[in-house]
Each structure stands twice: as C-alpha cells, then as structure tokens.
Amino acid sequence: MIEKEKIKVIIDTDPGQDDAAAIMLALGSPELDVLGLTVVAGNVPLNLTTRNALMVCELSGRLDIKVFSGAKGPMTGPQVTAEHAHGKSGLDGPDIFEPSIQLEPQYAPDFIVETLLNERSKTVTLCPIGPLTNVALALEKNPTIATHIDKIVLMGGGYFAQGNITPSAEFNIFADPEAAKIVFSCGAPIVMMPLDVTHKVLTTRARIQQLASIGNPASEALVKMLTFYSRYNSKKFGNDGGPLHDPTTIAWLINPDLFKGKKCNVEIEIKSDLTRGSTVIDWWEVTNRPKNALVINEVDSDGFFELLTERVSNLK
Ligand code: RIB
Ligand code: CA
C-alpha cells in the first residue's frame, strides 16, 4: 500500500492555551510533518509566547521541533493582548517552567520565506493561529512565496458570530488588521476557521475529563490549561466550557470531513474606528468579489474532541 505523503506544515502561533492544544494535536498526528513553529506576539507579549511555544514542545516530548521567534507587535497600530482570557503568563493553569530547548536564531518571517522557496512548490501548508503579522511580513519580504504556498489554514474572524475582542472583530484579526488584509489578498488558497465554527467546539467538563483520562505529561498540562481557560470563557459566554479555537485548523488538515463550509469573498475592514478588524464575509454572495477563502461554519464537535483526545494520547 503506498504510504500517503505527510502534510508539511508551519504553525504560526501565540500560545495561548488553545494554541497549546493545536500544537499538541499536530505533534501527536503522524499525518503531519511539523517543519517548525513560528511565534508571534498576540495573547501575551512575544517573549512569553516564545517561551510558551518552547514549553509546549517540551511538554509534548518533542525536543526536535524547531521554534522561531518573530514579530513583537502589529505592522501598524497599537498592540493588543489577551491576558484577560489566557492569564498573565499566556498559559495559566499548569506550573510554568523555563524550557530547556533552545530557540532557533532565524527570524520567523525569514524561516517562512526560506522554507517555502526551498521545499517543493505547493507542498507546505501555513497554519496561522494568532495575529497574521509574521505571515504578512514574509509575503512583503518576498511576494512570490504566495504561489509556493499549498494552503493557508487559519483561525480568525467571524461573521454571524461577530467579534470577541470588539463587538465586530475577532482577536487575531483585530490585533493586526493590515496584516490580515495582506494575507487575505495574497492569492494563496485560504481555509478560514472563524468564531462561527470555533464557538461550536466547547471544552465541556466531560471533554476535559476525557483528556484527563490519558495520563501523559502533555494531557495533564493541557487539562490544567483548559480548566483555567474554560473558567473565563464560561463566565463570558455562559456555556459549559470555552471555545477551543485554534486546534480546528489542525483537525481540518487531518480530517476535513469533520467540517462544512463554503467558498466566500472575505475582506478586512481597516479604516473604521468602530469596526476595524472585522471580517466582511460575503456569505450570501451579494457581490462579485472574488471568493478568496473557504469559510468553515459547521463541525462535528464530538468527532473533533475524539480526534484531539486520541492524538494527545500519542504524545510521550
Ligand atoms: O479569538 C481567538 C483567537 O485569539 C485564538 O487564536 C486565541 O489563541 C487568540 O489568539
Ligand atoms: Ca492563538
């Protein structure tokens, strides 16, 4: 039987408890070849998101993973962080430790450009699950990489679900709207996981219990992370558990049949004071604007958590 080629992926991340779940899902999945983690400022400042990314690799028993640090803040405009949701460390829940694995010296946007030019064209997927600054800087540095990208599978934006950091904007887009505009207009195939779908994957007590039954270092830390993370989100949204945003991108790569959506035009509002950072999704096709993204709005949430639990249990 011919073995299916692994999916080569670069995860661009701002850990964040939900980022940690995404990274663990990826590292526990044999279908993926994680070429590197590129880190961006987002939930917390860059020094902390960088430390957190290294920590998650160590908790996952994957000291081989290359981690690159990138943009300290947005391309323009003020820096926005989300300690209110993720805690001061950005990874509140488990004991925080200084990781033993070393950061790679190369600047993250340079690693993205170099990898896309060196790997066979259209064989590398970018999975941005934080503000899009690193990806936009890479595209600005060398616009031709857009034709080398297989696809961009990103968490960000919202339509029927509106926003979570302002009434109309989701955090990853709001944190750097100019970067989002560059990414959504670069021409590479985009799969978008907006709040419309991520609000359907809630970290309920039963699902956290499932993860707790695994009993490896990664799951033990993840359970503490998600218990902390759920507290804030349950209070805010009144649900049992919080939306586990970021791993939806990795789950889609592994099993797209868990999801449903449709191709739409997506534009980014960058000018309005009131709605800056909102994703204007032409879901009802009332314009002739190009359909630049597959926008996902449905998910088999039980299947998603079964996949997450099964793959985290693969970690040593
Ligand atoms: O709005 C949710 C997104 O913002 C997630 O990626 C979360 O980690 C934060 O970065
Ligand atoms: Ca994130």
Side-chain angles (χ1 to χ4, degrees), residues 46-56 89-90 96-99:
L46 183 66
N47 63 313
L48 297 180
T49 53
T50 301
R51 187 265 327 266
N52 294 346
L54 292 165
M55 226 180 91
V56 173
S89 73
I96 302 295
F97 60 86
E98 276 315 305

Side-chain angles (χ1 to χ4, degrees), residues 19-281:
D19 300 70
I23 295 165
M24 289 181 181
L25 173 57
L27 297 182
S29 296
E31 299 89 339
L32 304 183
D33 176 6
V34 179
L35 301 180
L37 301 186
T38 49
V39 188
V40 66
N43 287 317
V44 287
L46 183 66
N47 63 313
L48 297 180
T49 53
T50 301
R51 187 265 327 266
N52 294 346
L54 292 165
M55 226 180 91
V56 173
C57 290
E58 199 151 327
L59 285 166
S60 304
R62 291 296 302 274
L63 310 189
D64 59 307
I65 296 296
K66 293 187 175 4
V67 180
F68 302 81
S69 196
K72 286 188 169 45
M75 297 175 97
T76 54
Q79 178 150 20
V80 179
T81 53
E83 286 87 350
H84 56 279
H86 298 272
K88 212 163 159 18
S89 73
L91 217 47
D92 279 24
D95 294 338
I96 302 295
F97 60 86
E98 276 315 305
S100 60
I101 56 177
Q102 296 303 306
L103 192 61
E104 295 295 316
Q106 190 174 24
Y107 185 44
D110 293 338
F111 169 73
I112 293 171
V113 171
E114 183 184 271
T115 305
L116 287 168
L117 296 181
N118 290 349
E119 295 287 340
R120 196 159 37 87
S121 188
K122 296 202 182 301
T123 61
V124 176
T125 294
L126 301 184
C127 264
I129 51 177
L132 290 162
T133 320
N134 283 339
V135 180
L137 288 171
L139 284 161
E140 281 213 323
K141 198 176 276 281
N142 187 330
T144 65
I145 61 170
T147 60
H148 290 253
I149 298 168
D150 182 28
K151 56 177 84 63
I152 297 172
V153 187
L154 64 87
M155 190 278 141
Y159 184 56
F160 297 102
Q162 290 288 327
N164 59 2
I165 190 79
T166 76
S168 62
E170 176 278 328
F171 178 82
N172 287 342
I173 308 297
F174 183 71
D176 196 341
E178 279 73 12
K181 191 172 182 67
I182 290 169
V183 172
F184 274 87
S185 56
C186 78
I190 292 174
V191 179
M192 176 185 185
M193 295 287 169
L195 297 177
D196 303 79
V197 67
T198 65
H199 279 178
K200 296 173 181 170
V201 285
L202 298 178
T203 57
T204 62
R205 274 182 290 272
R207 288 165 173 164
I208 292 182
Q209 264 314 314
Q210 277 288 2
L211 286 165
S213 66
I214 296 170
N216 61 18
S219 64
E220 278 160 22
L222 185 58
V223 163
K224 289 176 184 160
M225 290 178 202
L226 299 187
T227 303
F228 171 87
Y229 176 76
S230 304
R231 220 176 280 134
Y232 162 77
N233 279 281
S234 301
K235 227 162 78 215
K236 175 169 178 175
F237 295 102
N239 298 321
D240 172 11
L244 199 56
H245 307 283
D246 293 337
T248 56
T249 59
I250 306 297
W252 185 89
L253 270 181
I254 299 164
N255 184 2
D257 294 341
L258 288 171
F259 300 88
K260 283 202 188 95
K262 73 177 190 178
K263 293 271 296 187
C264 300
N265 171 260
V266 179
E267 303 293 340
I268 311 296
E269 174 56 61
I270 56 171
K271 292 204 173 59
S272 156
D273 290 343
L274 190 59
T275 60
R276 175 172 161 81
S278 62
T279 47
V280 181
I281 301 176

